[in-house]
């Protein structure tokens, strides 16, 4: 098995999910006694949360690049960034190391294209929903994305930053997500992309009115494929 480096801590709840999903995936392929060879660097999210201006994002790129270099130096053969929003600095991080950095949105886009999805809605933090760095990966696969509804953007950003990254999953948040997904279904979405690693806390990806593409689950599976030599 190949050793994988995971940049985590953004938030640590999502890192825990990555750890569990990757290990379960490795067990499924290598046997119940197997565990994934992982190197994890958990960053302090308080220094990286709610970044706003270009200077903030430049600093984030430097922090994640330093982390990726450390992971590579101790044996990581590929890197995973365990957060959707931090893929805004993906190019900076990828340029800092010589090993592959597995892009979460490219993994999701490839899965959706293989399934024949042609029109979808992307939900997540404000920067994931509004900026091009994530959306363009899906559009490049000829997947039409519904335009962001600002009311939904504000609601989702609040739920993610005020609840989910703190480990809170309220019934009210579950209801609000169901309402949002119902509205997106009525607007013509064929599928929903969970563009935030913590959204699985309040969205049941296996029991919904629309197919749910859980970015964390898909990204973790890509990590498993790499570890097992299938990726």
């Amino acid at each position: 098995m190949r050793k994988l480096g995971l940049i985590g801590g953004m938030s640590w709840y999502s890192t825990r999910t990555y750890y569990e999903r990757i290990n379960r995936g490795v067990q499924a392929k290598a046997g119940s006694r197997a565990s994934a060879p992982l190197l994890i660097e958990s960053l302090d999210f308080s220094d990286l949360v709610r970044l706003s201006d270009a200077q903030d994002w430049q600093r984030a790129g430097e922090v994640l690049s330093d982390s990726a270099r450390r992971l590579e130096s101790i044996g990581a053969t590929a890197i995973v960034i365990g957060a959707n929003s931090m893929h805004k600095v993906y190019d900076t991080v990828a340029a800092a190391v010589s090993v592959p950095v597995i892009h979460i949105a490219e993994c999701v886009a490839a899965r959706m294209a293989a399934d024949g999805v042609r029109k979808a809605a992307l939900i997540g933090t404000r920067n994931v929903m509004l900026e091009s760095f994530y959306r363009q990966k899906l559009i490049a696969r000829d997947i039409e994305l519904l335009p962001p509804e600002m009311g939904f953007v504000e609601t989702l950003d609040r739920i993610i930053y005020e609840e989910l990254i703190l480990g809170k999953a309220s019934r009210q948040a579950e209801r609000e997500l169901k309402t949002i997904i119902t509205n997106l279904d009525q607007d013509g979405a064929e599928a929903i992309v969970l563009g935030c690693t913590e959204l699985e806390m309040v969205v049941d990806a296996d029991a919904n009115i629309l197919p749910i593409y859980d970015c964390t689950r898909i990204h973790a599976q890509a990590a498993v494929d790499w570890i097992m030599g299938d990726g």
Side-chain angles (χ1 to χ4, degrees):
M1 291 190 285
R2 295 187 286 195
K3 190 171 291 186
L4 182 85
L6 172 61
I7 303 175
M10 305 169 291
S11 66
W12 72 259
Y13 296 98
S14 65
T15 307
R16 177 180 61 186
T17 301
Y18 270 95
Y19 183 80
E20 181 175 357
R21 289 198 180 280
I22 291 171
N23 273 289
R24 289 192 184 280
V26 166
Q27 279 186 321
K29 291 191 172 189
S32 60
R33 289 185 173 85
S35 55
L38 290 172
L39 298 169
I40 302 174
E41 179 159 274
S42 185
L43 302 176
D44 181 1
F45 197 29
S46 64
D47 293 332
L48 296 166
V49 68
R50 284 197 181 278
L51 305 181
S52 55
D53 58 28
Q55 186 174 1
D56 284 342
W57 282 106
Q58 180 180 353
R59 177 174 56 82
E62 293 167 356
V63 169
L64 268 68
S65 294
D66 287 343
S67 178
R69 280 190 286 263
R70 285 191 291 271
L71 291 169
E72 181 183 23
S73 73
I74 56 174
T77 62
I79 305 290
V80 165
I81 301 170
N84 285 271
S85 59
M86 286 299 161
H87 279 72
K88 179 168 179 172
V89 296
Y90 171 89
D91 289 343
T92 300
V93 177
V97 292
S98 60
V99 298
V101 181
I102 302 171
H103 197 297
I104 191 168
E106 289 181 352
C107 296
V108 174
R111 178 74 62 85
M112 296 175 75
D115 290 347
V117 176
R118 287 291 170 258
K119 188 173 185 179
L122 170 64
I123 61 176
T125 59
R126 175 186 295 272
N127 74 319
V128 166
M129 292 185 70
L130 298 183
E131 299 180 37
S132 63
F133 72 93
Y134 200 101
R135 299 176 67 87
Q136 67 186 4
K137 298 295 184 182
L138 304 176
I139 294 169
R141 294 278 189 156
D142 295 323
I143 300 166
E144 178 187 352
L145 291 176
L146 295 182
E149 169 62 51
M150 288 310 299
F152 296 163
V153 172
E154 299 296 338
T155 298
L156 286 160
D157 209 61
R158 173 182 54 78
I159 289 172
I160 291 165
Y161 283 111
E162 295 181 11
E163 297 185 36
L164 301 186
I165 67 169
L166 303 177
K168 301 176 183 178
S170 67
R171 294 294 297 276
Q172 177 61 26
E174 290 179 6
R175 287 192 289 267
E176 289 182 282
L177 263 295
K178 283 184 179 179
T179 298
I180 289 172
I181 291 171
T182 298
N183 278 275
L184 293 172
D185 177 36
Q186 294 170 350
D187 290 341
E190 298 174 9
I192 302 293
V193 179
L194 297 189
C196 169
T197 46
E198 290 86 4
L199 276 174
E200 70 162 21
M201 296 164 65
V202 289
V203 177
D204 187 344
D206 298 316
N208 220 291
I209 60 173
L210 286 173
I212 302 292
Y213 285 82
D214 181 346
C215 54
T216 311
R217 183 180 298 186
I218 295 169
H219 204 202
Q221 185 57 53
V224 171
D225 291 344
W226 177 267
I227 289 169
M228 300 304 299
D230 301 328

